[in-house]
Amino acid sequence: MSVVREIPALSAVADAYDAFLVDQYGVLRDGRGPYPGAAETLVRLKQAGKRVIILSNSGKRSAENDRRLEALGFEGGSWDWFLTSGEVAWQLLKREAEGEGGAARKCLLISRDGDQSPLKGLNLVRTESGEDADIVLLAGSEGDIHPLSYYEDLLGPAARRGIPCLCTNPDKVMLTRSGPAFGAGRIAELYEELGGPVRWIGKPFADIYDFALDFLGRPDPRRVCAIGDSVEHDIAGAAAAGLGSVLVATGILEQRSDAERRQLFREHGASPDFILPKFLW
């Protein structure tokens, strides 16, 4: 396991990189709102001449997340692209539909707050039942509202028929106003436990990094740094893509000790280059 250097602020390492992939939840904000100083730090990164992509395991598409972040007080233009796993999945489904043609497929959409944007513009029609679904799109979790057994009942019929599932938010834990709850990634695990096949889209899987690096013009990956609060998603994903990484000790790691964090490094076979107490310049 490599030596991990603790840094007091992001400015200590900013010159070592040309571009940053910044996680949203746990770095910029939690379920209650923005972290103090996070918006200013994004502005400072742009002022330093860095390219910034906000890279999020959100089942919602990019444009909706852009609007929401600005509504929370983040300055528009302080990032170059808000790339979500939901956006990547939508683009992949669009390409596949164009290649296949044919009739619309029935999609069982699992999302949050009634969001149907993951289906907009695709050759998919929504169904409420796993009995007749042709595909399952797992874009979000309401684990703070429904128990896991609710999703077992809903998804069981599709899983038992071997219906393919796309999980567009691999996070197993999400931050809500009432605290942590199980995320869409945990529901996808349940789908696999029930016998259904899952295609995972988002961090730490390759598709989302391919989209980000294509947008940046395929730079030297060593000059790109991923910043996140999840060892399993942000740090492991960065390591697999050959990127530098900074682990922020907020979000899901806020209550973890140093020893517990290092145990996570061992469990996931990846450690960050740096640890930062908070996303501050």
Side-chain angles (χ1 to χ4, degrees):
M1 194 67 63
S2 60
V3 175
V4 180
R5 176 184 162 196
E6 295 191 14
I7 55 174
L10 189 57
S11 57
V13 298
D15 287 344
Y17 303 101
D18 302 318
F20 289 83
L21 310 182
V22 183
D23 183 35
Q24 178 186 196
Y25 276 98
V27 175
L28 301 179
R29 56 173 297 207
D30 61 14
R32 294 176 291 273
Y35 289 132
E40 180 186 355
T41 301
L42 279 181
V43 171
R44 296 293 295 272
L45 268 179
K46 288 300 295 177
Q47 289 175 342
K50 309 302 177 180
R51 301 191 74 189
V52 178
I53 295 177
I54 299 176
L55 198 68
S56 174
N57 277 355
S58 166
K60 293 182 171 67
R61 295 190 61 194
S62 292
E64 185 169 343
N65 278 275
D66 263 324
R67 291 191 294 269
R68 183 169 57 179
L69 207 59
E70 287 190 37
L72 287 169
F74 288 84
E75 185 174 319
S78 61
W79 59 90
D80 296 284
W81 192 20
F82 198 132
L83 177 59
T84 67
S85 48
E87 182 69 30
V88 172
W90 190 92
Q91 296 290 348
L92 292 173
L93 286 168
K94 184 74 169 176
R95 290 178 194 173
E96 291 173 2
E98 289 170 352
E100 295 172 356
R105 291 182 291 171
K106 293 182 179 180
C107 177
L108 176 56
L109 173 65
I110 308 297
S111 63
R112 186 168 178 82
D113 303 323
D115 177 39
Q116 296 191 42
S117 65
L119 301 184
K120 189 175 181 180
L122 295 176
N123 194 26
L124 298 171
V125 293
R126 188 172 188 183
T127 178
E128 301 289 343
S129 170
E131 297 285 355
D132 64 352
D134 300 311
I135 186 172
V136 174
L137 185 56
L138 183 46
S141 165
E142 291 184 325
D144 52 338
I145 300 173
H146 302 296
L148 200 58
S149 58
Y150 166 84
Y151 292 103
E152 182 174 0
D153 292 340
L154 180 61
L155 295 170
R160 287 190 288 272
R161 291 190 296 119
I163 296 301
C165 170
L166 261 68
C167 177
T168 65
N169 186 338
D171 290 352
K172 297 180 178 68
V173 178
M174 64 177 182
L175 302 175
T176 74
R177 289 183 178 275
S178 56
F182 66 83
R186 178 65 191 99
I187 303 173
E189 284 185 333
L190 172 66
Y191 196 80
E192 290 181 326
E193 292 163 8
L194 293 170
V198 175
R199 180 178 178 182
W200 298 79
I201 306 293
K203 300 176 288 185
F205 305 98
D207 287 323
I208 196 168
Y209 294 96
D210 286 339
F211 272 70
L213 293 173
D214 282 347
F215 178 83
L216 294 171
R218 285 287 163 180
D220 181 346
R222 294 171 297 181
R223 296 289 300 177
V224 179
C225 181
I227 303 175
D229 69 318
S230 168
V231 177
E232 179 179 5
H233 298 109
D234 301 297
I235 305 308
L243 314 180
S245 63
V246 174
L247 181 67
V248 178
T250 49
I252 63 174
L253 291 183
E254 193 165 6
Q255 304 301 322
R256 298 293 189 101
S257 67
D258 183 65
E260 289 174 319
R261 292 171 193 156
R262 294 183 184 279
Q263 177 60 33
L264 289 172
F265 302 162
R266 291 188 288 271
E267 286 178 11
H268 299 292
S271 58
D273 296 298
F274 307 100
I275 292 181
L276 180 64
K278 298 178 180 180
F279 186 68
L280 295 174
W281 184 253

